[in-house]
Amino acid sequence: MTANYQNYVNGAWTDAETTETFETTDPAAPEEVVATYQQASADDADSAVEAASDAQSEWANTPAPERGAILREAGSILADRKDELTELLTREEGKTHAEAGGEVQRAIDIFYYYAEKTRDLGGSVKSASGPRTNLYTVNEPVGVTALITPWNYPIAIPAWKLAPALATGNTVVLNPASVAPGVALELFKALDEAGIPDGVANVVTGPGSTVGDAIITHEDVDGVSFTGSGEVGHMVYDKATDDGKRVQTELGGKNPTVVSDSADVEEAADIVANGAFGVTGQACTACSRAIVHTDVYDEFVDAVVDRAESIEIGPGDEYDMGPQVTESELEGTLDYIDVAQQEGATLETGGGRPEGERFEDGYYVEPTVFSDVDNEYRIAQEEVFGPVLAVIEVEDYEEGLETANDVQYGLSASIVTDDHTEAERFVREVEAGVAKINAKTTGLELHVPFGGFKRSSSETWREQGDAGIDFYTIEKTVYDTF
């Protein structure tokens, strides 16, 4: 059955002014339409921002625990609908049920987490230098915030932007990616049913080039949070900062796992394979480079190839790895595979579309492993966003670290080692916003900061945990002399 979604603006579900719509399809069966959405215009985006601006003052003055109660109720509504949201996410984005269910649960947990954090909002008290003076700070909301989110985590990323923004008294306008916006709109259904006031939370679907651009450039927008491609993110950053807006961007990654000569090779292969091939490699934190000490290189290549070849591919409701989200994403991955072979990398396994009746229609690609990769190859420098792993041989820890850092990105990085000194050095010396020891590059805790270095981020503000609250609030210092 095809679902029909409207925009949510000023507390009402509405059609776009143009009355135009667009459809999403199941990447495992592209002939099956999943849902229909509003093809909004810049005028629709302006209306949403105006509604958010009108509602901002009253929402900011609502006691924080009352705001938290609405978030808590919305989280409870999402929890009651977890199974249907998991099914929708799988059908629209292609994730396996296990991956989709975990992502939905993360959104639920984020709403619960920030609901409780509202009790801690306020500021801090400091000691004044003179008598009869109270010296303290108060935190105020930024104002109207524009949230632009990608398709690869279509409920988790909107949740970790929405929840802290709302908890701290901001109003929001969200423009989710058009490839898989359904679960993001379900967040707004939950907020609506939880009793969020009109205009506080708004969502408008349609292309980022028109809708997203209109939102981030609107004069009433005070803050912008963007997650997506580097090319678009840098344009968003420039436009927002030119207008004096507060802005954070989280962009791409080319994430390494360094495998030391002291590592347990079987454990290392498990860690790398999970990071490289989970969610079909469609994660900004996915492991795309295994940087392996020469003493264990051949053994590691054999082990990680075994892991790749053991993965069962198919529709997400039945198999270990689902399809890529669109035909263009699939073609992009296949193009990188061709380029890698042209540059001289050795294809160890995968490298194409799987054969068989169940693969005829979906956007499937085999888990792919390349060896003999030079770090200058495009396959080692550019974000592929598919289940493709480049294995690079190094002579020692120093070369491994240099190779890990020798990219324009710096989002997530890990090392597999039994050497404590190497582990400690890696944490200090790797150029990445997330550093892990004996763990995969993917997988994040919701209560600690997340963000990247270099071209993986604007490096202005972090997301999640207290860092999320910091972005959406401005600190005012008060001198109270009596």
Side-chain angles (χ1 to χ4, degrees):
M1 181 178 295
T2 302
N4 293 289
Y5 287 96
Q6 297 172 293
N7 294 325
Y8 184 71
V9 177
N10 203 22
W13 294 98
T14 61
D15 291 338
E17 289 187 10
T18 62
T19 69
E20 295 182 10
T21 61
F22 65 94
E23 295 176 336
T24 59
T25 59
D26 185 343
E31 74 282 358
E32 295 182 11
V33 175
V34 176
T36 301
Y37 299 91
Q38 300 302 305
Q39 183 86 347
S41 65
D43 288 340
D44 294 303
D46 289 344
S47 296
V49 174
E50 289 161 11
S53 180
D54 291 343
Q56 204 283 315
S57 179
E58 184 174 352
W59 182 243
N61 290 316
T62 299
E66 289 187 25
R67 300 196 296 259
I70 292 174
L71 292 178
R72 189 178 303 108
E73 178 62 19
S76 178
I77 293 168
L78 294 172
D80 289 341
R81 298 175 182 168
K82 180 178 177 181
D83 289 346
E84 61 188 86
L85 294 177
T86 297
E87 179 66 24
L88 173 59
L89 204 164
T90 293
R91 290 189 64 218
E92 198 164 61
E93 198 272 350
K95 280 187 172 76
T96 68
H97 267 197
E99 293 165 343
E103 183 180 343
V104 173
Q105 186 60 53
R106 184 178 184 83
I108 295 165
D109 293 343
I110 287 168
F111 269 68
Y112 285 153
Y113 173 80
Y114 283 107
E116 297 307 313
K117 292 296 285 185
T118 58
R119 298 183 182 277
D120 294 331
L121 300 177
S124 60
V125 177
K126 302 294 183 180
S127 296
S129 299
R132 300 176 58 194
T133 300
N134 293 323
L135 182 62
Y136 59 95
T137 65
V138 293
N139 293 326
E140 298 183 351
V142 169
V144 178
T145 55
L147 314 179
I148 314 296
T149 57
W151 52 261
N152 62 319
Y153 285 94
I155 191 168
I157 294 179
W160 81 47
K161 295 181 188 293
L162 272 169
L166 296 172
T168 50
N170 299 274
T171 54
V172 302
V173 181
L174 172 70
N175 176 220
S178 296
V179 171
V183 282
L185 271 74
E186 292 292 338
L187 290 176
F188 287 80
K189 285 186 179 181
L191 286 166
D192 182 58
E193 292 178 34
I196 200 158
D198 295 351
V200 171
N202 308 270
V203 59
V204 183
T205 54
S209 57
T210 54
V211 176
D213 189 67
I215 294 170
I216 65 173
T217 58
H218 197 289
E219 63 181 3
D220 289 340
V221 167
D222 303 293
V224 176
S225 180
F226 171 91
T227 300
S229 72
E231 180 181 0
V232 177
H234 295 305
M235 290 190 293
V236 167
Y237 183 83
D238 289 342
K239 288 182 179 181
T241 52
D242 284 347
D243 291 339
K245 299 177 182 1
R246 177 175 290 208
V247 60
Q248 64 177 186
T249 63
E250 291 303 334
L251 311 172
K254 194 64 185 172
N255 312 294
T257 295
V258 175
V259 180
S260 167
D261 59 341
S262 67
D264 180 308
V265 173
E266 295 299 317
E267 178 187 17
D270 287 337
I271 288 170
V272 170
N274 287 335
F277 307 130
V279 296
T280 319
Q282 298 177 135
C284 57
T285 56
C287 176
S288 57
R289 294 181 297 151
I291 300 169
V292 185
H293 193 286
T294 186
D295 289 351
V296 296
Y297 183 82
D298 291 338
E299 183 182 357
F300 174 84
V301 170
D302 290 342
V304 81
V305 166
D306 286 344
R307 304 307 191 276
E309 292 177 347
S310 71
I311 295 171
E312 294 190 28
I313 310 168
D317 57 352
E318 297 182 55
Y319 293 91
D320 300 334
M321 191 180 89
Q324 296 214 249
V325 69
T326 62
E327 186 175 14
S328 63
E329 289 294 328
L330 170 63
E331 290 174 350
T333 298
L334 294 174
D335 285 345
Y336 269 111
I337 290 170
D338 288 342
V339 167
Q341 294 178 90
Q342 293 168 15
E343 289 184 320
T346 299
L347 179 64
E348 296 285 348
T349 191
R353 303 189 66 169
E355 298 180 355
E357 185 176 345
R358 73 170 179 265
F359 306 117
E360 290 179 358
D361 298 321
Y363 305 131
Y364 297 103
V365 63
E366 296 168 314
T368 298
V369 178
F370 282 102
S371 64
D372 302 320
V373 176
D374 188 289
N375 205 49
E376 297 302 314
Y377 291 174
R378 287 180 60 192
I379 196 75
Q381 288 291 319
E382 300 176 14
E383 187 175 40
V384 177
F385 230 63
V388 179
L389 176 68
V391 188
I392 302 168
E393 185 174 4
V394 293
E395 294 294 328
D396 52 30
Y397 169 81
E398 280 71 21
E399 185 182 0
L401 178 72
E402 181 181 359
T403 302
N405 289 337
D406 188 22
V407 290
Q408 63 181 327
Y409 299 104
L411 188 53
S412 182
S414 72
I415 187 170
V416 186
T417 182
D418 282 343
D419 187 317
H420 184 72
T421 300
E422 281 186 348
E424 290 300 313
R425 284 189 60 189
F426 183 81
V427 168
R428 293 195 306 270
E429 296 169 348
V430 73
E431 296 169 357
V434 177
K436 296 188 173 187
I437 301 168
N438 295 327
K440 62 182 180 177
T441 55
T442 52
L444 305 168
E445 296 275 3
L446 62 87
H447 59 292
V448 290
F450 171 66
F453 290 178
K454 300 188 284 190
R455 291 183 68 84
S456 287
S457 168
S458 58
E459 297 187 342
T460 46
W461 305 88
R462 294 309 198 207
E463 296 193 275
Q464 304 193 121
D466 289 335
I469 290 173
D470 292 342
F471 174 71
Y472 292 105
T473 55
I474 298 175
E475 196 167 41
K476 177 185 291 183
T477 303
V478 180
Y479 294 79
D480 177 12
T481 302
F482 54 92

